[in-house]
Amino acid sequence: MSLAARLSDPRLFRQYAYVNGRWAHSEAGREESVIDPATDEVIGRIPVLEAAQIHAAIDAADAAFAAWRALRAEERAERLMAWRNLMLDYREDLALIMSFEQGKSMADARGEVEYGASFVHWFAEEGKRAYGQTLPSHIPNAALGTIKEPVGIAALITPWNFPLAMITRKAGAALAAGCPVIVKPASETPFSALALAELAERANIPSGIFNVVLGDAAEVSQILCNEERIKALSFTGSTRVGKLLLEQSAGTVKRVSLELGGNAPFIVGPDMDPREAAMAAVDAKFQTSGQDCLAANRILVHASIHDEFVTHFTERMQALVVGNGRDSETHLGPLIHAKAVEKAAAIVDDAVSRGATLVAGDQSEAPGANFFMPTLLTGVTSDMMVWREENFAPVAGITPYNDDDEVITMANDTEYGLAAYAYTHDIRRIWKLLRGLEFGMVSVNSVKMTGPVVPFGGVKQSGLGREGGPTGIDEYLETKYYCLGALPSVSGS
Ligand code: NAP
């Protein structure tokens, strides 16, 4: 059955771009297909917009800006809450769209809808608290302070692995701050973005404030980066493209926020129960079939419990069900496309050729061309691709270590610095790891670490800025300082 036929509200499935409150075809008639990675069937077609249509989206956002910023924060919050409520009302439809275009299991997709909606809720509230400051004056008879103002139009470029939440984490903050947005979703997963546009319209978010443009990524981003009126660019995706966008934005000195790749270590201390730690490591590795910037990429286990840990990890990993995300028993859906499968195979071959042991992962059992069976490698060393690169696949690599100093050096041996996990109950070790790990986020004894209250982001080449949390809205606000001089003096001040 087609995707549209399975939705409770088929109008959430839109095969257009969304510009200035209208559904748009490509003016030149250019289109491309969107593929279901589980079956390789075409889900639908989307327009490839012409440059003039991208410029029209910028004009529309520019025209809508004044009225949106003039609304009281509370009025913007009411519309954002209406948008968030609609996301939850249509949770099942949004999850189905996501599972079709991204491949993830329905359980993961439903979780992402809730996660995505939670950012809109959070920022609807935070927008009401975009406080300035009153500063004690060093100038006689003057009042000094700051006010917060929206930066202007924000361009949001997002990846395919979290097609909904990576949009709402940015758009929730930008819209609450009073900024119009132009979203460029990944070409693999445009339909989640377009469903969000449909719901934004129903939530009375005005025309021109939430736009979704589709087209050739390099061409679209060049236009967005070169445009003076776009004041902020927020990107989530690969470090390679992030660097390119940073360079391209230099000409217009934009505010740039980057959420880039990760290469998370998962450290298991000698005091841990190997079974408990192995259960957590499997959870941290295989979410979204390993296509997660937080996925545990390098599992570092104290030598004293290594072998037991491997046994439990293997057992738990082999219990994961690989299949179509719409089958209720599926844990792991397909990878996003055939190239991702090729890369996963190359990573495994590289590791084995350099001396790693392939403990489990028989690819002849894969249920389709874009699937990759969960794979475990032991004896992983730092010269292997599985260590050096973000593998973005269900391939786990385990390495033993002997002491805390050694494991900190091993964990930091990467250009990335997004997230790290540590499992230990020894408070001295916890503190040492927390201070020694060069990562923007460190999670101790918990796989779950993200949420709307969290300042999500990385150090080193994992990015710039933080999304979510108490500071997330600042990415879309300017601080304007004022000095009111020559005021009448007031006794006591
Ligand atoms: P990607 O290839 O960098 O693509 C991300 C976005 O950039 C897509 O919209 C893509 O559009 C666009 N893009 C591609 N080439 C471009 C170019 N030359 N100029 C401008 N834009 C371009 O990344 P991905 O493969 O979709 O996503 C996986 C990466 O995202 C991983 O590295 C992962 O770690 C990272 N990620 C990070 C976080 C975080 O919060 N730190 C969260 C999720 C994912 P098209 O699809 O149209 O090519």
Side-chain angles (χ1 to χ4, degrees), residues 188-255:
E188 291 90 346
T189 57
F191 295 126
S192 295
L194 295 165
L196 286 178
E198 170 67 26
L199 296 179
E201 186 171 300
R202 294 183 197 180
N204 267 329
I205 292 179
S207 300
I209 294 298
F210 185 87
N211 304 281
V212 179
V213 298
L214 304 167
D216 176 80
E219 197 180 305
V220 173
S221 71
Q222 198 113 47
I223 295 172
L224 298 176
C225 290
N226 289 341
E227 171 60 53
E228 286 273 1
R229 290 172 295 171
I230 294 183
K231 302 295 186 195
L233 174 84
S234 179
F235 170 74
T236 298
S238 61
T239 297
R240 181 186 69 79
V241 174
K243 287 178 182 175
L244 212 69
L245 295 175
L246 190 58
E247 255 178 62
Q248 285 176 5
S249 297
T252 51
V253 195
K254 282 187 208 324
R255 184 84 70 91

Side-chain angles (χ1 to χ4, degrees), residues 141 487-493:
N141 300 331
L487 298 174
S489 70
V490 179
S491 72
S493 68

Side-chain angles (χ1 to χ4, degrees), residues 157-162 166 169 184-188 215 217-218 221 235-241 244-245 248 259-262 292-293 390 392 418 456 462 467:
I157 303 180
T158 56
W160 49 262
N161 60 340
F162 290 93
M166 294 303 99
R169 196 163 71 183
K184 206 308 269 163
S187 48
E188 291 90 346
S221 71
F235 170 74
T236 298
S238 61
T239 297
R240 181 186 69 79
V241 174
L244 212 69
L245 295 175
Q248 285 176 5
E259 295 291 343
L260 308 177
D292 184 342
C293 54
E390 177 184 40
F392 242 51
L418 187 60
F456 191 104
S462 283
E467 288 192 338

